[in-house]
Amino acid sequence: MSGVLGTYAYTNYYNVQGNYRQGAITCAMPAGSLFGALASSFIADRYSRRTAIQVAALIWIVGSIIQTASNGIGMLVVGRLVSGLGVGIESAVVPIYQAEIAPPEIRGRVVSLQQWAITWGILLQYFIQYGASFTDGGANNPNQGTAAFRIPWGVQIVPATILFAGMFFFPRSPRWLASKDRWEESIEVLAALHGGGDMNHPKVLAQYQEIEEALTGERVEGKPDWTLLTEPRMFRRVILGMSIQMWSQLCGMNVMMYYIVYVMEAANIGDPLLTSAIQYILNVVLTLPAILFLDKWGRRPSLLVGSFMMMVFLFIVGALQAIYGQPFHAESGPLSAISWILRDNRPVQLAVVVFTYLFVSTFSITWGPTSWTYPAEIFPSQIRAKAVSLATASNWAWNCALAFAVPPLLWNINWRLYMLFASFNGVAFIHMFLTAPETKGKTLEEMDDVFDSGRPAWRSVPKGSRLAVLQKEIEEGNLKVAVRFGEPCIELKSAATATNIETVQRAV
């Protein structure tokens, strides 16, 4: 959306005059995403994570077709609502799927790939929009044709089609298969993912045992899934997951994604579409360090350092705008969306752009990937899809609210908006310091130990993983694992397995 905001083709065709109208158009997609996220757990739990991703891709294709063919604001809003349903399902289910297939030592890296893919999608779509803006005389031509926005909206169909077809070549989640008592398929997937196809591999057997023990414990409790969400020990985690997604929106990155063109227009430096493009490039490039190092430096430092630095950069941008800016008014055209601008002060204009880029870079390295990784890994299997759907719904609820509110806020309180988001980051820093323990290196089945130990969040979590202990016992021949694949019982064990300790796992 951001790439077409600065074109006459878009503002004239849809008669986008007034900040509330643009806010309504923009927030239609996150509104649809809110409902998609809430519905995601029913599809993911019943039909599998993989199927949910494919259903969402089909929904996105339908929404993109409606947007591309839209002949007015009403049809455009409907198209964005439908596309939003697909986005909501994808954004809730993809992190779960990634977390459930990844080994614990690189889980952060694997789930962070989703954020990196998102940044690539944003970048490519923005440059498609930027290229399309040159059609029919360019973005500043009052008579520019509709190709400037129909081309980028139509191109959205292509990646969704690839995703739908490509998912047929990916396995179903081994943890979902186990939850449906499809144990043979579960261990086959575990072997393919973590044992080179060898079902006797110690790591495969150790993961199988952890999954089986966790599921058995959950079934013994016998409580309905939604009831478990409200239990005090689990409710704290639900609130934490929802809060992380909330703060990822209230940190201010929402402004930089949807309305970066307005920010650059207010800075009054160069081509706003081109200067905005730089921040999308930074978003892609600087997500890479998180992918490479999130499992080394951890989730907690990313959340704390990210909140603090984003707070500092936003306070600086707000202060520069307040001190050196002045009121501005344009009757029509793309510049009519802003009411405050920097004039004739090149150093300050450059400083605003630089600190905006630093803010985006900080988010990309810290909160961007961590806000998706953390909620996807902290819940037990029985309620994971439902709890993550609530966390993701929180993201889209705030995303929707901000998408609608930012244009009028930017107009009415201008530079004070930066101060508001900076303050949110300060509160997020305190909240995360008090409530978010470190989870790196732990298996999904060990999260109960991390959160229910009574240890304050700021205290270090003991290093090591139970999975490594189980794997070592299997390698040394101290543990034998047998799995019932129907009849007869097929025993899986490492070559070195002895019979001193025998643990028999069977499909219920």
Side-chain angles (χ1 to χ4, degrees):
M1 176 59 72
S2 60
V4 303
L5 294 181
T7 66
Y8 272 100
Y10 173 77
T11 54
N12 288 343
Y13 186 82
Y14 292 104
N15 190 27
V16 183
Q17 303 295 332
N19 294 313
Y20 288 102
R21 180 172 294 183
Q22 180 55 55
I25 294 172
T26 305
C27 81
M29 185 171 290
S33 299
L34 168 61
F35 291 103
L38 290 172
S40 65
S41 65
F42 299 99
I43 304 173
D45 280 341
R46 182 165 186 173
Y47 300 106
S48 85
R49 286 46 165 145
R50 189 182 77 176
T51 300
I53 292 171
Q54 291 178 300
V55 168
L58 293 176
I59 294 172
W60 173 265
I61 290 171
V62 173
S64 297
I65 292 172
I66 296 172
Q67 290 177 69
T68 305
S70 64
N71 57 5
I73 290 179
M75 192 171 176
L76 176 59
V77 168
V78 170
R80 288 179 61 81
L81 278 168
V82 173
S83 292
L85 287 171
V87 172
I89 296 171
E90 298 280 18
S91 60
V93 177
V94 169
I96 296 173
Y97 178 75
Q98 291 171 313
E100 290 185 344
I101 67 173
E105 62 271 16
I106 61 167
R107 187 174 57 245
R109 182 180 302 174
V110 172
V111 180
S112 295
L113 287 172
Q114 184 209 0
Q115 176 65 17
W116 198 43
I118 290 171
T119 63
W120 270 108
I122 293 171
L123 176 66
L124 292 174
Q125 178 67 347
Y126 185 85
F127 274 111
I128 291 170
Q129 292 172 348
Y130 182 67
S133 72
F134 289 98
T135 60
D136 299 325
N140 294 320
N141 177 17
N143 298 314
Q144 186 181 31
T146 61
F149 55 82
R150 295 198 193 278
I151 290 174
W153 292 348
V155 169
Q156 295 177 128
I157 298 170
V158 176
T161 303
I162 295 172
L163 176 62
F164 173 79
M167 285 306 297
F168 283 110
F169 300 94
F170 283 76
R172 299 188 190 277
S173 162
R175 288 171 170 84
W176 179 83
L177 289 168
S179 72
K180 300 301 180 182
D181 289 331
R182 294 162 65 174
W183 294 100
E184 181 174 1
E185 294 174 74
S186 176
I187 200 165
E188 286 174 353
V189 172
L190 286 172
L193 291 172
H194 309 303
D198 180 12
M199 289 191 290
N200 290 316
H201 194 287
K203 188 172 185 178
V204 173
L205 298 178
Q207 287 196 65
Y208 174 88
Q209 174 154 327
E210 270 214 317
I211 293 170
E212 199 276 343
E213 286 179 351
L215 284 174
T216 299
E218 292 168 7
R219 287 169 175 174
V220 167
E221 289 186 18
K223 295 181 179 178
D225 298 353
W226 290 107
T227 303
L228 285 174
L229 289 173
T230 60
E231 285 191 346
R233 72 182 186 89
M234 207 57 65
F235 188 66
R236 287 194 294 271
R237 273 186 253 181
V238 172
I239 294 299
L240 178 58
M242 294 179 68
S243 297
I244 287 175
Q245 291 285 21
M246 175 188 74
W247 292 126
S248 74
Q249 292 300 312
L250 293 180
C251 72
M253 189 62 177
N254 179 283
V255 182
M256 302 307 172
M257 288 294 103
Y258 287 138
Y259 302 114
I260 185 63
V261 172
Y262 293 168
V263 174
M264 293 305 175
E265 285 173 345
N268 194 28
I269 183 170
D271 180 350
L273 287 174
L274 186 58
T275 52
S276 300
I278 297 174
Q279 70 112 13
Y280 291 112
I281 296 172
L282 290 171
N283 196 23
V284 170
V285 173
L286 290 172
T287 301
L288 269 175
I291 294 174
L292 297 174
F293 301 112
L294 184 60
D295 288 306
K296 293 183 179 179
W297 64 46
R299 286 64 157 152
R300 183 175 168 83
S302 294
L303 295 173
L304 295 178
V305 173
S307 294
F308 181 81
M309 296 308 298
M310 287 190 292
M311 175 187 69
V312 170
F313 294 140
L314 286 176
F315 272 135
I316 292 173
V317 171
L320 291 174
Q321 289 274 13
I323 296 170
Y324 298 101
Q326 57 185 273
F328 174 81
H329 180 71
E331 291 293 338
S332 61
L335 287 175
S336 62
I338 61 174
S339 65
W340 194 265
I341 199 168
L342 292 168
R343 289 187 185 276
D344 305 322
N345 196 325
R346 187 74 174 176
V348 174
Q349 291 169 315
L350 285 172
V352 167
V353 173
V354 167
F355 282 109
T356 298
Y357 289 159
L358 287 173
F359 168 86
V360 170
S361 299
T362 301
F363 179 88
S364 301
I365 297 173
T366 59
W367 273 80
T370 309
S371 62
W372 293 108
T373 301
Y374 200 96
E377 65 186 6
I378 63 176
F379 301 105
S381 177
Q382 187 176 0
I383 63 168
R384 186 173 297 126
K386 293 176 176 59
V388 174
S389 75
L390 291 175
T392 308
S394 171
N395 176 296
W396 290 114
W398 287 100
N399 190 310
C400 179
L402 290 174
F404 181 77
V406 164
L409 284 173
L410 202 57
W411 173 269
N412 290 304
I413 67 175
N414 37 73
W415 60 268
R416 298 173 187 84
L417 185 63
Y418 299 101
M419 301 301 192
L420 178 63
F421 285 119
S423 301
F424 285 147
N425 279 296
V427 178
F429 175 87
I430 297 171
H431 186 192
M432 293 301 102
F433 179 83
L434 295 174
T435 62
E438 184 55 71
T439 58
K440 71 171 183 178
K442 301 296 182 181
T443 65
L444 298 180
E445 288 71 31
E446 288 181 288
M447 290 303 160
D448 284 350
D449 298 336
V450 173
F451 283 90
D452 299 340
S453 65
R455 185 185 303 106
W458 57 88
R459 292 274 302 275
S460 298
V461 175
K463 294 182 179 180
S465 169
R466 186 169 61 225
L467 180 66
V469 175
L470 287 173
Q471 183 177 342
K472 185 177 180 181
E473 287 186 351
I474 293 172
E475 289 172 345
E476 292 177 349
N478 295 324
L479 183 65
K480 182 168 61 176
V481 180
V483 187
R484 187 177 297 277
F485 295 158
E487 297 291 343
C489 178
I490 299 174
E491 187 177 271
L492 298 177
K493 57 186 178 180
S494 65
T497 300
T499 56
N500 4 7
I501 300 178
E502 179 174 336
T503 302
V504 176
Q505 311 293 353
R506 69 178 185 273
V508 179

